[in-house]
Amino acid sequence: MNAAQESSTTIARAALSRLFEPSDAVGLALVAAAGPRDALRIATGGLKAAGDIKEEIQELLAPGEGRGNLLDRALERWAPRRPDLAPERDLATLARFGGRLLTPEAEDWPGALEDLQLAAPVCLWVRGSVDVPPLQRMVALVGSRDSTNYGASVTAEMASGLAMKGFTVLSGGAYGIDAQAHRAALGTSGTAQPPTIAVMACGVDRYYPAGNEELLRTIARDGLVMSEVPPGSSPTRWRFLARNRLIAALGAVTVVVEARWRSGALNTAHHAAGLGRPVGAVPGSVYSANSAGCHRLLRGGSAICVTDASEVAELAGPLGTHPETDVCVPSSDHDGLAVQDILLLDALPLRMYSSIDKLATVAGLGFRDVLAGLARLELAGLALRGPEGWRRAPKS
Amino acid sequence: MNAAQESSTTIARAALSRLFEPSDAVGLALVAAAGPRDALRIATGGLKAAGDIKEEIQELLAPGEGRGNLLDRALERWAPRRPDLAPERDLATLARFGGRLLTPEAEDWPGALEDLQLAAPVCLWVRGSVDVPPLQRMVALVGSRDSTNYGASVTAEMASGLAMKGFTVLSGGAYGIDAQAHRAALGTSGTAQPPTIAVMACGVDRYYPAGNEELLRTIARDGLVMSEVPPGSSPTRWRFLARNRLIAALGAVTVVVEARWRSGALNTAHHAAGLGRPVGAVPGSVYSANSAGCHRLLRGGSAICVTDASEVAELAGPLGTHPETDVCVPSSDHDGLAVQDILLLDALPLRMYSSIDKLATVAGLGFRDVLAGLARLELAGLALRGPEGWRRAPKS
């Protein structure tokens, strides 16, 4: 691809991202079948789709069904937006904000998005100068807007701990858990570069919500603010839902810190699980409605319990690795002892000395076993030999 | 079996329970191979074990290894306790306390214990008059002795909720979570009969720990206090560990309400998981050391997150049933809407009316789709038709 082609491809993708809503299946199939430049010409009526393009779209979206009107209905859907297309103007707007457009054709395209397959975005509008880190270095922290003090402090500790370990903290730029995650990552002088990325449901020229303007401005300067919708786009419900899939795809792990029983954060978790990415959920009080969504995820088996940054980092490790299943062992000074030695330890008096005979009776062990066991317990510093027999060694 | 044989079997088991420590594998294999009466005669030197008995023990414990000295070493181990055997006296002591001995030969033997296979107890010393309920009606609530206020109140609500649903609450009679579980079950006037059962590590004639004397007395009166060790036995470490397997085997579910990272309650959970019984763990603050053990179980995948009595009851349902995996959906008024209708709903202004043309552009939908979608949204009470077009219906 020469420079002119590259440029026209970029412009085509910029235009398509305004024409299509996020996750427009027919639109994305059209791009897959015809390439972005012809897709734009077809979508805007400048080129009639050949039969094989229609067939390929049909095959991509509904294999074997054989009804070929998917594209025609989509063309009707896209028609009202044609007059609004001005991709060069949009790209100029982005450049004014010091941003750039990421496209699948370029080397800096986050490969992790390809896991979304046909639902991968047409392009990404990005504000900020650093590169998007690879999947293995990104963790998404998400949660409710109406977070509690508990949620806020867990988020802050987790984000800060992750940033110190070199992870970029992804979130959605919203109030509550999102804002706390971004803030804590920005405030941590670690090795993570960028410390944080906000994936927005609106255009990157807008600071939404207004109360986070200062925060988003800082993220655009020190990290990255990105969106699949072009400048000027407002954050709609659909774009919020679709945006969640990008957060889920970009992070090696998605952690839900605090969420109500029904919460958009669970939607992000669901996307992550669907992509085979590990999902973490932070436990909390059973009396907190703000933890009910996390407990729901844990109970349903779609999330793993995480309580700190290290446990999250462990999930982010080699992809898909789960923490080792614990063997639950009880604690304290009989750890690692064989059954007979535990019996013997139980039989040893704490203060007085006991004879071998007495120990055999109390422990229910034979004399040889008592003698052998006492030697082992003495070595372990648990039994004390005295003139009148044996007793428990005092705890050190 | 006639009455005399039955009585001598009972007496033999009573004696064996003093001769053997809980889970004495060779002893239990001897009983399995020779029956309780001959097992007692062999164990006390009154009968020489025939070759086939020795072989069967060997086969039960270490199949294919072919070294036949297991029984000889066990005989040496049991010898020191022979002089202490007085099963009739023990049974008389139990009768004085209004108790009885449960044995595998009798109809009232809890069948759930057979899941322990070779580790099933020789007999159960029981105080109290009611029958042991079937597995499906029993739930174990266990946890740390040093419980927090949080743990205490979750335990109380859970135990009380379970008792109201007709479940018998099993626990270990210790301080903390155990005591709270017993107390709440006793205080609930439900259909559970008995409301609670304490499975002890010491003889049922002893009230241990002393601070729970009043509570254990009440349990013995209104519920059941049981143990596999005979009257007079003291609670040793080994007996505590072995006792945990009985709690795990008797309950359809074992719930760990609060436990430190290393806690005996995890040992009970481990036994339950080993038996294929569902294990529940109650989540709590990540800052509470008393919830660290529960989070460890959740993280390791050996427990399911439970937050109230209903979720525990669900686990106790048909054995081994797991709660359905949730599909995580976001909340509110776009629930159940198709993508196109969400797009359209997003496009509808809150206060002003919008034309079909405008809606098509904003939503990125064709005119036919907008018309059809508006009809659906109007039906759903989400869109309002006016003289100048359409707007969002006010929330009811």
Side-chain angles (χ1 to χ4, degrees):
Chain A
M1 204 183 281
N2 61 37
Q5 281 174 324
E6 195 177 315
S7 158
S8 69
T9 300
T10 300
I11 289 168
R13 287 192 175 273
L16 290 168
S17 79
R18 186 173 295 282
L19 205 59
F20 303 159
E21 278 298 315
S23 291
D24 183 321
V26 181
L28 293 164
L30 173 61
V31 175
R37 286 177 299 169
D38 277 358
L40 180 62
R41 290 173 66 203
I42 293 169
T44 52
L47 178 72
K48 205 168 144 42
D52 58 336
I53 295 284
K54 286 192 176 185
E55 268 170 38
E56 193 172 341
I57 291 173
Q58 185 68 32
E59 199 49 38
L60 282 168
L61 296 179
E65 291 197 11
R67 291 168 53 243
N69 65 351
L70 284 172
L71 183 59
D72 294 337
R73 295 201 54 188
L75 286 171
E76 192 185 322
R77 186 165 75 228
W78 299 327
R81 282 193 181 167
R82 280 188 215 159
D84 295 341
L85 293 185
E88 286 92 347
R89 184 200 63 199
D90 289 337
L91 288 167
T93 304
L94 184 67
R96 239 190 354 268
F97 286 117
R100 67 197 191 281
L101 194 76
L102 300 185
T103 63
E105 286 80 13
E107 277 197 4
D108 54 1
W109 180 248
L113 293 173
E114 296 309 312
D115 291 346
L116 290 167
Q117 299 180 315
L118 212 56
V122 168
C123 59
L124 278 181
W125 302 79
V126 174
R127 256 178 108 160
S129 51
V130 291
D131 281 341
V132 181
L135 178 68
Q136 292 75 19
R137 302 314 295 164
M138 299 221 274
V139 167
L141 294 188
V142 298
S144 309
R145 286 187 295 271
D146 65 331
S147 57
T148 65
N149 287 340
Y150 172 71
S153 71
V154 176
T155 307
E157 285 183 22
M158 225 169 231
S160 160
L162 287 164
M164 276 196 282
K165 289 172 191 291
F167 287 99
T168 295
V169 175
L170 277 172
S171 199
Y175 292 134
I177 301 296
D178 286 19
Q180 201 61 248
H182 290 305
R183 251 186 221 112
L186 285 169
T188 306
S189 50
T191 56
Q193 186 54 11
T196 193
I197 296 179
V199 187
M200 310 299 289
C202 58
V204 293
D205 59 323
R206 300 182 57 163
Y207 289 122
Y208 179 90
N212 280 353
E213 176 169 346
E214 202 48 45
L215 172 64
L216 290 164
R217 204 180 289 281
T218 311
I219 299 174
R221 190 191 64 205
D222 299 340
L224 294 171
V225 175
M226 56 170 67
S227 175
E228 64 179 312
V229 295
S233 305
S234 53
T236 62
R237 238 174 286 236
W238 174 250
R239 289 171 188 159
F240 273 113
L241 288 177
R243 183 275 314 265
N244 292 341
R245 86 190 191 291
L246 300 184
I247 294 179
L250 287 167
V253 185
T254 293
V255 175
V256 183
V257 183
E258 222 175 27
R260 289 178 171 267
W261 184 256
R262 323 193 98 217
S263 154
L266 302 186
N267 173 260
T268 310
H270 181 52
H271 277 298
L275 289 166
R277 307 255 199 277
V279 175
V282 174
S285 166
V286 303
Y287 300 119
S288 168
N290 285 279
S291 288
C294 292
H295 297 155
R296 187 182 182 183
L297 286 175
L298 289 173
R299 185 165 165 72
S302 42
I304 290 160
C305 180
V306 288
T307 63
D308 60 23
S310 300
E311 292 183 349
V312 175
E314 199 182 311
L315 285 184
L319 249 184
T321 305
H322 279 49
E324 51 175 320
T325 302
D326 289 319
V327 177
C328 307
V329 287
S331 70
S332 78
D333 54 2
H334 58 275
D335 265 17
L337 291 187
V339 170
Q340 292 205 344
D341 292 353
I342 298 179
L343 289 171
L344 188 57
L345 186 64
D346 285 340
L348 280 174
L350 280 170
R351 289 186 193 80
M352 292 164 15
Y353 288 86
S354 178
S355 70
I356 307 286
D357 279 11
K358 182 79 188 301
L359 286 172
T361 311
V362 174
L365 293 171
F367 298 102
R368 282 191 304 178
D369 289 335
V370 169
L371 288 173
L374 284 171
R376 283 188 296 268
L377 292 180
E378 189 178 27
L379 263 178
L382 296 169
L384 207 63
R385 191 197 303 253
E388 312 102 276
W390 294 78
R391 51 165 286 196
R392 189 93 51 95
K395 293 212 175 190
S396 53
Chain B
M1 205 183 280
N2 60 37
Q5 281 173 325
E6 196 177 313
S7 157
S8 68
T9 302
T10 301
I11 290 168
R13 288 191 176 273
L16 290 168
S17 78
R18 185 173 295 281
L19 204 59
F20 303 159
E21 278 298 315
S23 292
D24 182 321
V26 181
L28 294 163
L30 173 62
V31 175
R37 286 178 298 169
D38 278 358
L40 181 63
R41 291 173 65 203
I42 294 168
T44 51
L47 179 71
K48 205 166 145 42
D52 58 336
I53 296 283
K54 285 193 177 186
E55 269 168 36
E56 193 173 341
I57 291 173
Q58 184 69 31
E59 199 49 36
L60 282 168
L61 296 179
E65 291 197 9
R67 290 168 51 243
N69 65 351
L70 285 172
L71 183 59
D72 295 336
R73 294 201 56 187
L75 287 170
E76 191 184 326
R77 186 165 76 229
W78 300 326
R81 282 194 182 166
R82 280 188 216 161
D84 294 340
L85 294 185
E88 286 92 347
R89 185 200 62 200
D90 290 337
L91 288 167
T93 303
L94 184 66
R96 244 196 340 274
F97 287 117
R100 67 197 191 280
L101 194 76
L102 300 185
T103 62
E105 287 79 14
E107 279 197 2
D108 54 0
W109 180 249
L113 292 173
E114 296 309 312
D115 292 347
L116 289 168
Q117 299 181 318
L118 211 56
V122 168
C123 59
L124 279 181
W125 303 79
V126 175
R127 256 177 108 160
S129 51
V130 292
D131 281 341
V132 181
L135 179 67
Q136 292 74 20
R137 302 314 295 164
M138 298 220 274
V139 167
L141 295 188
V142 298
S144 310
R145 285 187 294 269
D146 66 333
S147 56
T148 65
N149 286 341
Y150 172 70
S153 70
V154 176
T155 307
E157 286 183 23
M158 226 170 231
S160 160
L162 287 165
M164 277 197 280
K165 289 172 189 292
F167 287 99
T168 295
V169 174
L170 276 171
S171 199
Y175 292 134
I177 300 296
D178 286 18
Q180 201 62 247
H182 290 305
R183 252 186 221 109
L186 285 168
T188 307
S189 51
T191 55
Q193 186 55 9
T196 193
I197 296 179
V199 187
M200 310 299 290
C202 59
V204 293
D205 58 322
R206 300 182 58 160
Y207 289 121
Y208 178 91
N212 280 352
E213 177 170 345
E214 203 48 45
L215 172 64
L216 290 164
R217 204 180 288 282
T218 312
I219 300 173
R221 190 191 62 204
D222 298 341
L224 293 172
V225 175
M226 56 170 66
S227 175
E228 64 178 313
V229 295
S233 305
S234 52
T236 61
R237 238 174 286 238
W238 173 250
R239 290 172 189 160
F240 273 114
L241 289 176
R243 183 276 313 266
N244 292 340
R245 87 190 192 292
L246 300 185
I247 294 179
L250 288 168
V253 185
T254 293
V255 176
V256 183
V257 183
E258 222 175 27
R260 291 179 170 266
W261 184 256
R262 322 194 99 218
S263 154
L266 302 186
N267 174 260
T268 310
H270 180 53
H271 277 298
L275 289 165
R277 308 256 199 275
V279 175
V282 174
S285 166
V286 302
Y287 300 119
S288 167
N290 285 279
S291 287
C294 293
H295 297 154
R296 186 181 183 184
L297 286 175
L298 290 173
R299 185 165 165 74
S302 43
I304 290 160
C305 180
V306 288
T307 63
D308 60 21
S310 300
E311 292 183 349
V312 175
E314 200 183 309
L315 284 184
L319 250 183
T321 306
H322 280 50
E324 51 175 322
T325 302
D326 290 319
V327 178
C328 308
V329 287
S331 70
S332 78
D333 54 3
H334 58 274
D335 265 17
L337 291 186
V339 170
Q340 292 205 344
D341 292 353
I342 298 181
L343 289 170
L344 187 57
L345 186 64
D346 285 340
L348 280 174
L350 280 170
R351 289 183 193 81
M352 292 164 14
Y353 287 86
S354 178
S355 71
I356 307 286
D357 280 13
K358 184 77 190 303
L359 286 172
T361 309
V362 173
L365 294 171
F367 299 102
R368 281 191 304 177
D369 289 335
V370 170
L371 288 173
L374 285 170
R376 283 190 295 268
L377 292 180
E378 190 179 26
L379 263 177
L382 295 169
L384 208 62
R385 191 198 302 255
E388 315 101 273
W390 293 79
R391 51 165 287 200
R392 188 92 52 95
K395 294 215 175 188
S396 53

